[in-house]
Amino acid sequence: MMFQEIQPGIYQVKLPMPLKLDHVNCYALQGERGWSLIDTGLNTEQCREAWREFLAAKHIQPGDIREIYLTHFHPDHYGAAGWLQELSGAPVYISRQDAAAAQEFWVHEEVKGNTGALFCAHGMPQGLIDGVLHSQRKLLPYTRPHPRLSLISANQTVPLGDDDYQIIFTPGHSDGHVCFYHEQKGLLFSGDHLLSKITSNVSYWPGSAPDPLKSYLSSIKNNYRLDCRLVLPAHGDIFHNLRARIRQLAVHHVKRLKVMAN
């Protein structure tokens, strides 16, 4: 486990993952009221131990954690939220859209049959379908216990550490993905919406918005207006050039769409 202080009172906590993408960046913000967390990692022993090490290193008692915010419902962000909630008693906040998706994917597991049917209808070979469903099943234990979820909404202001951040609604990577933005500091916690080197996975799943790529491109276009000087993503390095990165991503997707059209 590695953690670093990005700015006074803002820590990036890099957690290991047993996947090809081998880490997730979570964040902890210190304030006079206590600590706020953004995203939680998977509920694996490695992640739990990493959180314990961070809490011990910063002399944080579990009750000092005042709130936990999730950028979206994917397991590397949602997975350890229930464990941290049981440890701290803190509320766990997520968007309405992704609270519903978490229930469908991780609690009720209703999506498995629908996923297989969707992929089959679009011509995916059965062997690949079986592989996708197997990978999905392997993730389920990493999301338990499930947290009690509280809802947050676009443009709402929420406390993180000693500061208030605006919730920026950024659907695409998931239907209810959110970022957290501080205008005066020019600071954006971008989750999986904006990454420094790799592109966000934009996929269609059963029950999701009909055109997630359209949602994603609209989201990055809207974020071009942000006066942002530092982006803290969930994977890879922090970066400063938000608008340049958005231009790169827009060009990338236009090129890929042209390749698919041809």
Side-chain angles (χ1 to χ4, degrees):
M1 188 272 295
M2 295 184 293
F3 67 87
Q4 60 174 323
E5 191 171 22
I6 305 298
Q7 289 185 358
I10 299 177
Y11 294 85
Q12 182 189 76
V13 184
K14 187 175 181 179
L15 301 177
M17 295 201 299
L19 305 170
K20 186 174 182 180
L21 187 58
D22 63 1
H23 75 280
V24 59
N25 300 326
C26 301
Y27 295 91
L29 290 83
Q30 184 179 19
E32 291 186 2
R33 302 177 306 108
W35 289 76
S36 308
L37 306 184
I38 300 176
D39 291 331
T40 66
L42 296 167
N43 191 16
T44 63
E45 179 54 37
Q46 292 83 358
C47 280
R48 291 191 297 270
E49 183 58 29
W51 276 120
R52 292 187 194 104
E53 289 180 16
F54 173 74
L55 297 180
K58 303 310 297 178
H59 307 290
I60 303 169
Q61 297 299 314
D64 296 336
I65 301 172
R66 301 302 301 270
E67 52 262 328
I68 300 165
Y69 292 97
L70 305 181
T71 56
H72 60 298
F73 81 97
H74 292 167
D76 50 329
H77 301 259
Y78 168 95
W83 173 74
L84 280 165
Q85 186 177 65
E86 288 187 350
L87 185 70
S88 66
V92 175
Y93 294 98
I94 194 171
S95 69
R96 175 183 57 81
Q97 294 88 342
D98 274 23
Q103 287 289 311
E104 184 177 5
F105 274 77
W106 311 128
V107 179
H108 302 308
E109 304 177 35
E110 293 174 352
V111 78
K112 289 186 293 186
N114 296 335
T115 300
L118 173 71
F119 290 167
C120 182
H122 287 80
M124 181 180 284
Q126 188 60 48
L128 285 179
I129 294 173
D130 293 341
V132 170
L133 297 180
H134 176 68
S135 296
Q136 205 171 346
R137 284 191 294 270
K138 283 176 61 178
L139 291 171
L140 288 172
Y142 301 151
T143 66
R144 299 167 180 155
H146 299 292
R148 300 179 307 279
L149 297 174
S150 301
L151 301 184
I152 49 177
S153 304
N155 299 318
Q156 181 181 343
T157 299
V158 296
L160 289 169
D162 281 335
D163 295 305
D164 291 332
Y165 283 72
Q166 181 186 2
I167 296 172
I168 306 293
F169 187 51
T170 51
H173 178 68
S174 75
D175 287 351
H177 191 289
V178 297
C179 300
F180 300 92
Y181 175 57
H182 194 288
E183 184 175 9
Q184 286 71 36
K185 291 186 175 183
L187 185 62
L188 181 73
F189 292 95
S190 66
D192 281 358
H193 175 62
L194 293 171
L195 305 173
S196 59
K197 295 180 180 178
I198 61 175
T199 58
S200 301
N201 185 311
V202 181
S203 302
Y204 177 75
W205 292 89
S208 67
D211 192 343
L213 182 57
K214 181 179 180 181
S215 299
Y216 180 75
L217 294 175
S218 177
S219 293
I220 63 172
K221 181 180 179 181
N222 290 339
N223 284 354
Y224 198 82
R225 64 180 171 80
L226 300 179
D227 182 15
C228 183
R229 298 180 292 279
L230 182 64
V231 183
L232 288 80
H235 305 284
D237 299 328
I238 64 174
F239 60 101
H240 303 273
N241 53 340
L242 176 137
R243 289 174 178 159
R245 183 61 179 141
I246 287 174
R247 290 194 295 269
Q248 291 173 352
L249 290 166
V251 168
H252 164 79
H253 283 291
V254 168
K255 287 182 177 178
R256 295 303 302 163
L257 287 169
K258 287 180 177 178
V259 169
M260 293 177 68
N262 294 328

